[in-house]
Amino acid sequence: MVPCTPRLLLSSKMPGSVVLRWFVFFWVSLGLRAAEPGSSEGEWRMAAKNYANTRFSDLSEINSANVNELKVKWTFSTGVNRGQEAAPLIIGDTMYVVTPYPNILYALDLKNNGAPKWKYEPKPEAAAQGVACCDVVNRGAFYDDGKIFYNTLDGNTLAIDAKTGKQIWKTKLGDIQKGETITMAPLVVKGKVLVGDSGGEFGVRGWLAALNADDGSLAWKAYSTGPDSEVLIGDKYKPFYDQEKGKDLGVSTWPPEHWKIGGGTVWGWVSYDPELNLIYYGTGNPGAWNPELRPGDNKFTAGIFAREPETGQARWFYQWSPHDLYDHDGINESVLVDLELEGKTRKVLLHAERNGYVYVMDRGTGEVISATPFVRITASKGVDLKTGRLIPNPEKEPHTGKVIRDISPVAAGAKDWQPCAWSPRTKLLYIPHQNLAMDYEGVEAGYIAGTPYLGVNVKMYAGPGGNRGEFCAWDPIKKEKAWELKEKFPVWSGALATAGDVVFYGTMEGWFKAVDAKSGQELWKFKTGSGIIGQPVTYSGPDGKQYVAVLSGVGGWAGAIVAGGLDPRDPTAALGFVGAMKDLPQATTKGGDLYVFGL
């Protein structure tokens, strides 16, 4: 892979020269394009657009002045009416779309209004649907060296010939008998296909695996719990904080043998810095959800690892939520930028975490530079920057047999899987998220392989103000919101930022919106057939014109009441999310369609 990464220099004192501004922006754009060899800015080769997870495109034909002229150019029905969370890929004159279960992969002809070139049907095991905790979603694919790599719900990773749709290899990684599934979008780094498991609600043991891209053979596998030898912690492991130091913390911070069913699944996003040669990814919640069943910090769950891609060896770890109390997974994306802080340029990662804080971290060392609330928080009282530890609020600590009310963020977090976008032009992070609170009660739980392992009763509801969602722009230098937009339902879609100073996102009622990247002013919206929880992308078509694409199809955890046809009278259904979404069936219906917009 080409060793290049975005170098986004942020300063309150921007260059005065127009020429210099153009050069800086050109260099930034070059870095983004070079994230994947052979690609052009008009393509979209991975779900996050680039290794830095910016979801930024420097296409600008569609801009804040003309975006209100967008029209539907063509649509495509996937034939699957479940939660559509994937990002379409665009390579040359072909678009690739992955559906939820049964995980069909389509190749669509951009020269012929999206007419199918071929489709690949992997036929995953039907039983996988029964152990998918939060809908049967898939978050997308990755293109590299003529192959499309993606995962199926039943725990397989596939390599498909991008031209013919023929299977090149298939590797089994997950075991649905244990409750393991795979929903994440893979990342390919230096010939290694990086894949992690889902299933933290079933007491599975989390891991990130690296498969050799040529033949699908296993290169390495790093567990999130257990002895150092299995977590791939060795001599190069040098965490910043004392609580992350020590031998076999993945065992000693758990009750005896509990680490074997301890969760820490890896179902979110992976970033890569080619200059430091490090991958970054988060680990999920510990099992069970009831914290009284697992005293200790429960390493290495609800945190972030930095690893070497060739060997998987850990370089550092940081735990967002030690002894996680509320299902605050740490799997959210980390956006890699270079930030000027106190007169010094630092390589940082930006991370809007489920526990409600936007973290700015040194991505070379794992030091927390700042951690600032971006939502209302009652569950904790801040982050101690000296020790790096989250400061819990004892008044909101869960207990078995006792209902604790008004906990925020909820089990789904302040922001769940839905990815942010970053613009080097505005120097803002665009965060789709929710505004919810919950009541939480610990109950007894016993582990049985392949069945839910929770130990809590959860009821979610709207937070202050009544709006259940928000889309905001975050200034990481000022450590505050630049603007915010309130939405009736959680904003469960991804965000897309462009050089046209437009930001796109979707709502669970089905509105696809474009807003001004600088001010947040709504510039355009279009009502699709179903709620939008997908990841919008933009690309340059064979005709040289810019287009924007998004999948419409409500579902996911927040939309399970519609996608799964759940009873709105049971507020504890969908792990407590139905309580907050009982009116969603009146606002939207099931769907599974791709929309492509252009001027």
Side-chain angles (χ1 to χ4, degrees):
M1 309 298 272
V2 176
C4 187
T5 189
R7 298 183 58 84
L8 310 180
L9 180 60
L10 313 182
S11 172
S12 58
K13 298 180 179 179
M14 296 302 293
S17 164
V18 173
V19 174
L20 184 55
R21 284 201 304 269
W22 178 88
F23 176 78
V24 170
F25 180 68
F26 172 79
W27 185 249
V28 168
S29 300
L30 181 63
L32 289 169
R33 282 197 295 268
E36 169 64 19
S39 66
S40 70
E41 182 56 31
E43 295 185 319
W44 199 283
R45 295 191 167 202
M46 61 185 87
K49 175 57 176 171
N50 47 55
Y51 283 138
N53 267 253
T54 65
R55 292 176 169 80
F56 172 82
S57 169
D58 73 358
L59 297 181
S60 59
E61 178 189 356
I62 298 171
N63 54 56
S64 57
N66 62 20
V67 69
N68 63 335
E69 300 173 14
L70 280 183
K71 306 293 183 185
V72 175
K73 295 300 181 179
W74 54 271
T75 63
F76 175 78
S77 173
T78 66
V80 181
N81 289 339
R82 293 300 295 250
Q84 306 280 340
E85 288 188 353
L89 302 186
I90 296 90
I91 297 91
D93 61 3
T94 307
M95 177 183 290
Y96 300 90
V97 176
V98 180
T99 76
Y101 178 92
N103 304 131
I104 302 168
L105 174 65
Y106 289 101
L108 307 179
D109 187 354
L110 297 180
K111 291 182 177 179
N112 190 20
N113 294 321
K117 290 185 172 183
W118 54 256
K119 77 173 179 177
Y120 172 79
E121 298 183 77
K123 295 180 169 53
E125 295 181 60
Q129 299 171 88
V131 292
C133 90
C134 313
D135 202 6
V136 293
V137 298
N138 185 288
R139 298 186 178 93
F142 190 105
Y143 173 84
D144 182 57
D145 193 28
K147 305 182 190 73
I148 301 291
F149 301 93
Y150 80 109
N151 300 307
T152 58
L153 188 67
D154 63 344
N156 286 283
T157 300
L158 302 147
I160 307 299
D161 187 294
K163 290 185 177 180
T164 67
K166 302 298 183 182
Q167 179 181 301
I168 298 172
W169 55 255
K170 178 180 180 180
T171 299
K172 182 75 169 176
L173 285 171
D175 182 356
I176 61 173
Q177 302 305 316
K178 297 179 181 178
E180 278 184 321
T181 53
I182 300 181
T183 58
M184 72 173 293
L187 194 77
V188 180
V189 174
K190 291 191 168 182
K192 301 290 189 294
V193 186
L194 303 174
V195 179
D197 62 341
S198 302
E201 286 64 52
F202 290 79
V204 306
R205 187 182 177 202
W207 44 260
L208 181 74
L211 303 177
N212 291 307
D214 290 338
D215 60 11
S217 59
L218 183 66
W220 54 261
K221 192 173 190 178
Y223 286 94
S224 302
T225 65
D228 289 351
S229 59
E230 297 182 13
V231 184
L232 300 190
I233 286 177
D235 294 340
K236 293 184 178 180
Y237 179 67
K238 300 185 184 303
F240 189 85
Y241 296 102
D242 289 343
Q243 67 263 22
E244 317 298 357
K245 301 174 182 177
K247 183 174 176 55
D248 293 329
L249 295 181
V251 174
S252 63
T253 58
W254 294 88
E257 302 299 301
H258 196 107
W259 58 270
K260 295 179 180 179
I261 54 171
T265 51
V266 182
W267 55 275
W269 304 103
V270 185
S271 307
Y272 174 55
D273 183 336
E275 187 173 340
L276 295 178
N277 193 33
L278 292 175
I279 58 170
Y280 306 90
Y281 69 92
T283 58
N285 60 281
W289 283 16
N290 185 341
E292 292 188 330
L293 303 181
R294 46 172 173 80
D297 272 3
N298 310 137
K299 305 291 185 191
F300 292 88
T301 66
I304 179 173
F305 270 110
R307 294 187 184 274
E308 297 176 353
E310 298 93 338
T311 64
Q313 286 295 312
R315 292 281 289 275
W316 56 259
F317 174 83
Y318 170 75
Q319 197 166 30
W320 315 110
S321 300
H323 186 57
D324 172 35
L325 302 176
Y326 312 106
D327 181 44
H328 286 168
D329 296 50
I331 59 83
N332 292 357
E333 73 288 344
S334 293
V335 182
L336 311 185
V337 303
D338 287 359
L339 193 66
E340 186 169 304
L341 298 169
E342 298 179 351
K344 180 181 178 182
T345 301
R346 301 189 66 169
K347 296 180 181 298
V348 304
L349 61 84
L350 308 178
H351 184 96
E353 173 52 22
R354 280 173 70 151
N355 64 18
Y357 299 89
V358 174
Y359 288 78
V360 179
M361 296 183 68
D362 186 303
R363 66 179 185 266
T365 66
E367 177 190 6
V368 177
I369 300 169
S370 65
T372 312
F374 68 100
V375 295
R376 170 181 177 260
I377 298 176
T378 66
S380 63
K381 296 185 174 183
V383 177
D384 185 334
L385 296 183
K386 291 183 179 180
T387 65
R389 286 190 74 92
L390 186 71
I391 305 170
N393 180 359
E395 295 180 2
K396 300 298 182 181
E397 183 176 342
H399 295 285
T400 301
K402 182 179 181 181
V403 177
I404 307 298
R405 303 192 186 281
D406 190 28
I407 298 172
S408 183
V410 297
K415 185 184 87 67
D416 199 321
W417 79 280
Q418 63 267 44
C420 302
W422 166 264
S423 172
R425 292 171 57 86
T426 62
K427 299 168 287 294
L428 296 173
L429 184 70
Y430 301 95
I431 308 175
H433 61 94
Q434 42 266 17
N435 172 44
L436 299 172
M438 70 176 176
D439 298 340
Y440 206 76
E441 177 189 17
V443 297
E444 294 297 330
Y447 173 75
I448 301 174
T451 64
Y453 182 49
L454 297 171
V456 294
N457 291 323
V458 184
K459 295 180 183 179
M460 302 185 203
Y461 42 88
N467 59 296
R468 285 159 282 181
E470 186 177 290
F471 189 86
C472 75
W474 184 265
D475 187 325
I477 294 178
K478 294 181 179 179
K479 295 181 282 188
E480 64 183 22
K481 292 178 183 177
W483 49 260
E484 64 183 26
L485 303 172
K486 298 184 186 304
E487 294 287 353
K488 181 177 181 179
F489 296 106
V491 182
W492 210 254
S493 84
L496 164 67
T498 75
D501 289 333
V502 178
V503 177
F504 294 90
Y505 72 97
T507 75
M508 296 195 74
E509 305 101 299
W511 289 106
F512 189 44
K513 296 187 175 184
V515 300
D516 187 286
K518 298 176 182 176
S519 69
Q521 178 186 355
E522 185 178 293
L523 303 173
W524 170 87
K525 65 180 179 179
F526 179 88
K527 187 68 161 62
T528 66
S530 181
I532 297 174
I533 62 168
Q535 302 167 62
V537 304
T538 188
Y539 65 94
S540 181
D543 57 2
K545 297 180 179 179
Q546 184 183 355
Y547 296 90
V548 180
V550 70
L551 283 161
S552 168
V554 77
W557 191 2
I561 185 174
V562 176
L566 303 181
D567 190 337
R569 294 172 297 181
D570 180 6
T572 66
L575 306 180
F577 226 131
V578 164
M581 306 297 288
K582 58 186 177 182
D583 56 338
L584 184 62
Q586 284 72 56
T588 190
T589 59
K590 294 181 181 181
D593 294 288
L594 172 75
Y595 288 78
V596 176
F597 303 90
L599 296 173

